[in-house]
Structure formats: C-alpha cells, structure tokens
Amino acid sequence: TGGGGFMTFNPSSLRALLVGDRQADRVVPPSGFTAQLTFFAAAAMAFLAVFALALSLASGRLAQRWGDELARSATIRIVAPLDQRAAQTDAALRILETTKGVATARALTDAEQQALLAPWFGPDLALDTLPVPRLIEVIEDSDGMDAAGLRLRLSAEVPGAILDDHSRWRAPLIKAASRLRTLGWLSISLIGAAVAAMITLAAHAALAANAQVIAVLRLVGATDDYIAQAFIRRFTLRALSGSAVGTVLGLLAVLLLPSASDNAGFLTGLGLQGWHWLLPLLIPLMAGAVAFIATGTAARRTLRELA
C-alpha cells in the first residue's frame, strides 16, 4: 500500500506537473464544483491583485513626487502694513539673491494670489481691502538651503517676513502615501492567503469525494505521492489558468483608468507606468506557486486521514 510520502518541488515534480500522467489525472474530476470554484477564485483574486499592485505602486510614486516637490520649495509671507509691504518684499528678495541654495525666488502677483484665494473667497476678491500678506515663492537648488540661517537673516532685516519650508505639510503627506503603499502590499498578501484557503478547501473536498477511488489505487500499489501528484497538477493548472484570465482582465481595466495629470488628483494616477506593466505578469506564477503548496499540504493531510 502507499505510504505517507509527499511530492516535493524538484525537477522531477516540475516535469510531472507539466507533462502529467493520464492514469493519475483520472483520479481528479475534470469539471464540477471544485473545478469551477478554483478557476473563479483564482481569476477574481488575480483581478483584485492587479488593482492592489497598481495602488501600491501609485502610492509610492505619489510619496516620491510629494516629497521631491515640497522639499525643493518654500514660501515667505510678508506680514507688514500696506505702506511697508513693498519695501519689505524687495528687501526679502535681495536677501534671497545672496542666499546659498536658492535657485529662484519671486513675489507672486496680485492675480496669482487672488487665484489662490478664489476657492474660499470667490473670484471677485479685492486684495487691497484685506490684510493679505505678500507671498514669495522660493525654489531651492539640488544642494538645498539653510532654512535656520535664512530665518535669522530675515528676522534681523525683514521683521515682517515668515519663512515656511513646508516641513509640517510634507511629513504628513508622505506618511499618508507610504501607508497607502503598505496597505496595497498588505492587500496583495491577504489576496494570496485567500487563494490558498480557497484552493485548500476545494482540494480537500475533491480528495474526500474520491475516497473510494483512492482506496482502490492504494490496493493496487499506488503511493500517496502518486495520488497527490494528480491533485497537485490539476489544481495548480486551474489556478494558473484562472489567474492568467483575471490578470488580463485587470490590466485591461487599468488601461481604462484616467491617465495621470499634473493638475488632476491622486485617483487619476493609479495606472501602471514604465516597466511596472511587467509586474502583473508575475501574478499567475505566484498563484500557481500558492496552489502548488496549498494543494500539496491539503493532499498530504487528507491522505493521512484516509489511510
């Protein structure tokens, strides 16, 4: 009778997985509930995995872009009486011209400041009727500037100047994007675990339904390794084909998403970019590997129970 052996993943197992055994394949029902469940579960999870991967990669790009853009920019607010605002603005610009690490610096025009305030106060806001500070946009070069030193110079020469290097805004935004990226990878892990659980249940049900056939095979000398090989091959190929279909459908859905735009929000940048389009091609292989391990584990446990 067959022993408790279990097929390990080695070259001979891989060859058996690809070539198969016609006699052993008869042990596993080619269609039915378990076949449909395995195919559908693998396809659905692969479809979701494509979007989880796109979310994770887009969040990483977003965190990088936010960090780079905010790290290279700063804002100076000139809070001074109207009759002193122009003079203090000119003084701040002269200081910025001699500040190491500053690539460009310019004062925003009234039209630009009015456009910034329009979402809150409307397009007809008259800046001269409100104590709106003059804003100076500062762009740093690749070396960066000494924010602490610049603050000291401004406080001594331009008392109405307030430097904002965006550090209090940059950190929360980068942290939020990083958490979204972590959530994406966690979702992929949970999807893999769900596929493993679903295939394990399907394989266990198929083994239990064929208990009498397995008993006959053992009587004629078939080993547990031989029997398990048939189930592993059939369920691995089902998961591989189902996940391939789900991956293709997921990629087609990603193609239909709005493309990224500098003026658009985060949700328009969820598409894959560059070589990242190759990463979803690994999903069917991963699903096949998960099915191989899950079916093997279920087969070993169930065959031991049927012994």
Side-chain angles (χ1 to χ4, degrees):
T1 58
F6 172 65
M7 186 180 72
T8 57
F9 196 78
N10 51 50
S12 61
S13 300
L14 179 60
R15 185 168 53 254
L17 178 65
L18 297 176
V19 178
D21 187 302
R22 183 172 301 178
Q23 297 299 325
D25 287 347
R26 294 178 180 177
V27 178
V28 188
S31 61
F33 173 74
T34 57
Q36 297 172 2
L37 176 64
T38 304
F39 185 90
F40 176 78
M45 293 304 175
F47 184 88
L48 295 176
V50 171
F51 281 93
L53 181 63
L55 171 65
S56 180
L57 295 173
S59 299
R61 293 194 304 268
L62 186 66
Q64 182 68 33
R65 185 171 71 247
W66 281 350
D68 292 344
E69 290 179 355
L70 292 178
R72 294 195 305 266
S73 64
T75 303
I76 295 178
R77 302 193 305 274
I78 306 297
V79 184
L82 288 175
D83 57 346
Q84 301 179 18
R85 192 173 301 171
Q88 292 201 25
T89 300
D90 293 338
L93 290 173
R94 286 194 298 270
I95 291 175
L96 292 171
E97 291 175 357
T98 59
T99 300
K100 184 179 180 180
V102 175
T104 60
R106 70 179 187 90
L108 299 185
T109 64
D110 290 341
E112 289 174 324
Q113 294 197 189
Q114 188 170 4
L116 292 175
L117 297 174
W120 291 273
F121 298 99
D124 299 327
L125 175 67
L127 294 180
D128 54 357
T129 63
L130 293 175
V132 178
R134 175 64 64 188
L135 299 181
I136 299 177
E137 180 187 50
V138 181
I139 304 299
E140 304 177 30
D141 58 21
S142 57
D143 296 330
M145 67 179 183
D146 180 10
L150 179 58
R151 282 193 180 94
L152 291 176
R153 291 188 62 188
L154 290 173
S155 63
E157 303 181 35
V158 188
I162 301 174
L163 174 64
D164 182 4
D165 60 359
H166 301 163
S167 58
R168 61 174 178 168
W169 305 102
R170 183 171 66 250
L173 289 174
I174 295 176
K175 186 176 182 180
S178 298
R179 286 184 176 179
L180 280 175
R181 177 172 50 189
T182 303
L183 179 62
W185 290 115
L186 178 61
S187 299
I188 294 175
S189 300
L190 291 176
I191 288 171
V195 170
M198 194 73 68
I199 292 177
T200 299
L201 292 175
H204 182 81
L207 284 161
N210 289 270
Q212 293 183 350
V213 177
I214 292 173
V216 173
L217 289 174
R218 281 172 166 171
L219 288 175
V220 298
T223 64
D224 287 355
D225 181 54
Y226 177 84
I227 298 171
Q229 173 184 310
F231 285 89
I232 291 173
R233 179 176 184 273
R234 184 63 63 86
F235 278 89
T236 299
L237 293 180
R238 287 173 183 169
L240 189 64
S241 58
S243 59
V245 172
T247 299
V248 171
L249 294 177
L251 288 174
L252 291 176
V254 170
L255 282 173
L256 298 178
L257 291 174
S259 59
S261 172
D262 293 337
N263 298 324
F266 164 67
L267 291 178
T268 62
L270 285 179
L272 300 171
Q273 296 181 4
W275 65 272
H276 288 166
W277 283 101
L278 299 177
L279 291 178
L281 301 180
L282 299 177
I283 293 177
L285 298 179
M286 295 175 62
V290 168
F292 182 90
I293 297 172
T295 307
T297 302
R300 177 173 57 183
R301 182 173 61 253
T302 306
L303 289 174
R304 189 183 300 115
E305 295 173 355
L306 296 175

